[in-house]
Amino acid sequence: MSERVTTPYEGRGHTTWDPDAEIEAPLHLHDTPVPAEWIDYNGHMSESCYLLAFGDSADAFFRYVGIDEAYRAAGHSLYTSETHLHHRQEAGEGEPLRLTLQVLDHDRRRLHLFHEMRHRDTGVLLASAEQLLVHVDIAAGRSADMADDLHERIAAIHRAHAALPTPDMVGRPMGIRRQRQQ
Amino acid sequence: MTQPVTQPMTQPMSEPGALDGAAAPFTAYRQKVRPEWLDYNGHLHDAGYAVVLSAAHELVLESLGLSADYRASHGASMFTVETHVRYLAECSAGQTLTASTVLVDADRKRLRLYSELYADHRLAATGESLYVHVDTSAGRSAPLPDDRRARVDAMLHAHAGLPRPPHLGLGVGARL
């Protein structure tokens, strides 16, 4: 393993914002095969590695809207406040993953995202992640409004995603739902 | 992940190791923050919290006889269906992570675990996971064998009196 967790987009090419381009709905900014080091004792992708893949897709999204090393160095960042993962199917070593991302909601400080991970070739849904993120002033250690340009980009993506259906697991609590007879 | 953004909504259930006896959460997990779990901010990466919660929960499954050895001997295993992490504070390299876990619910095939994760005794995250027992050769869920079910019921009984925080079982973005 490397010294720390790196993302595929640190210092490398990524999709950048183009104010004239049509916005994909949902956004598709990240693909990856399942690396060998993500495999657990069951012979499948380990549960916590799903979050690494979703995190890399989120990082591609951050860079797309302009949150990169320079943005963070200037004092602001997006922090995750909640993540709710749904694991649907196993993934084996080398299987191609296709990640998509939908902006469900936002305000000046908060961002509600929904990710899907599918098998790139079969389209089978492998996992989803619902996330709540907060824009923060790093030094002050508290939430802070986004600057206008960032907020407008996120608002434009939110408008482009308004036509997408809201996935049925969004906002759903976790629990053991029992049938009446059980 | 900084404190003013998302305050813990309740008092912690207990500091790990603060309670003894049957009605105590499961607190075997203890691990220093490893450098390879850090992100570009020098803090525990989002996925690192999931690694830690997963490892803490694996110890609970091990104590129930439902971990790697069980898979090898029984051809069945606990699979994670859902995980909900609430990030409450940053964790830095060298801090000691501990977890306090409650078996919140169970039925013939499923377990629901809730953990509070501490970094040097400060509440850093909560994690809730739903597991299903899977017959790995058939590739489908299956009831737990009786001896494992007895262990699960014993833990469920022992944990029944522990407090349930109000955010338990709520969806993302729930306001309390």
Side-chain angles (χ1 to χ4, degrees):
Chain A
M1 266 204 158
S2 54
E3 289 275 299
R4 61 176 175 83
V5 178
T6 55
T7 85
Y9 301 103
E10 282 186 43
R12 292 194 211 157
H14 57 88
T15 308
T16 50
W17 185 260
D18 174 355
D20 301 320
E22 193 179 332
I23 297 168
E24 270 187 310
L27 289 167
H28 168 221
L29 301 169
H30 182 57
D31 281 327
T32 183
V34 177
E37 61 266 28
W38 287 5
I39 302 301
D40 68 7
Y41 67 76
N42 285 309
H44 299 121
M45 181 166 154
S46 153
E47 58 172 279
S48 45
C49 293
Y50 285 78
L51 195 46
L52 280 176
F54 286 125
D56 288 344
S57 186
D59 186 58
F61 168 76
F62 297 163
R63 290 167 194 277
Y64 174 61
V65 295
I67 299 175
D68 55 9
E69 285 78 4
Y71 188 87
R72 284 192 294 268
H76 289 86
S77 190
L78 275 175
Y79 283 4
T80 312
S81 75
E82 288 188 62
T83 297
H84 190 163
L85 292 161
H86 282 81
H87 301 270
R88 291 300 186 90
Q89 294 281 326
E90 296 141 13
E93 185 180 341
E95 285 195 62
L97 307 179
R98 180 182 198 273
L99 284 289
T100 59
L101 187 154
Q102 175 180 352
V103 173
L104 294 169
D105 201 4
H106 75 98
D107 65 12
R108 274 278 176 184
R109 298 182 176 199
R110 290 172 299 177
L111 191 54
H112 191 187
L113 298 180
F114 186 77
H115 301 260
E116 281 189 347
M117 177 193 295
R118 292 179 184 272
H119 191 287
R120 192 193 60 206
D121 301 335
T122 64
V124 169
L125 181 65
L126 303 173
S128 66
E130 183 186 352
Q131 290 193 305
L132 200 59
L133 298 110
V134 184
H135 186 255
V136 294
D137 178 325
I138 297 169
R142 57 183 351 117
S143 64
D145 284 354
M146 297 180 205
D148 287 343
D149 56 346
L150 174 61
H151 184 244
E152 277 158 23
R153 288 176 178 190
I154 287 169
I157 298 168
H158 186 213
R159 282 194 299 276
H161 290 186
L164 292 172
T166 301
D168 59 4
M169 62 276 274
V170 166
R172 203 172 65 185
M174 188 184 303
I176 295 181
R177 280 169 273 276
R178 291 176 168 80
Q179 291 162 358
R180 233 170 283 166
Q181 297 304 315
Q182 200 172 342
Chain B
M1 279 184 282
T2 33
Q3 208 169 12
V5 176
T6 46
Q7 287 284 354
M9 300 195 181
T10 54
Q11 289 299 310
M13 287 185 301
S14 73
E15 280 286 307
L19 290 173
D20 294 314
F26 190 92
T27 56
Y29 184 80
R30 187 171 197 86
Q31 168 72 52
K32 290 241 184 209
V33 176
R34 298 162 66 121
E36 65 264 30
W37 294 344
L38 301 181
D39 65 11
Y40 36 54
N41 293 314
H43 297 122
L44 184 62
H45 187 276
D46 282 9
Y49 289 79
V51 170
V52 169
L53 286 163
S54 171
H57 288 178
E58 200 63 36
L59 292 182
V60 179
L61 296 179
E62 210 172 289
S63 83
L64 294 168
L66 290 169
S67 193
D69 292 349
Y70 175 74
R71 181 189 165 90
S73 60
H74 286 69
S77 185
M78 298 307 293
F79 278 52
T80 312
V81 186
E82 290 184 49
T83 300
H84 185 178
V85 183
R86 293 161 66 247
Y87 302 90
L88 302 174
E90 290 156 352
C91 304
S92 309
Q95 283 192 307
T96 299
L97 302 172
T98 49
S100 175
T101 306
V102 174
L103 176 61
V104 193
D105 200 3
D107 70 0
R108 294 159 61 240
K109 302 177 176 181
R110 292 171 292 184
L111 304 180
R112 200 170 134 216
L113 295 176
Y114 168 74
S115 284
E116 292 184 344
L117 179 69
Y118 298 84
D120 288 348
H121 307 291
R122 177 186 183 211
L123 185 63
T126 70
E128 207 180 328
S129 294
L130 184 64
Y131 295 86
V132 65
H133 182 251
V134 173
D135 177 331
T136 48
S137 52
R140 57 159 53 96
S141 67
L144 289 161
D146 289 344
D147 58 342
R148 297 313 197 271
R149 182 63 201 266
R151 291 202 206 181
V152 168
D153 284 345
M155 186 181 279
L156 203 55
H157 183 72
H159 288 185
L162 295 172
R164 267 47 175 176
H167 56 257
L168 197 64
L170 295 183
V172 170
R175 294 273 169 273
L176 296 173

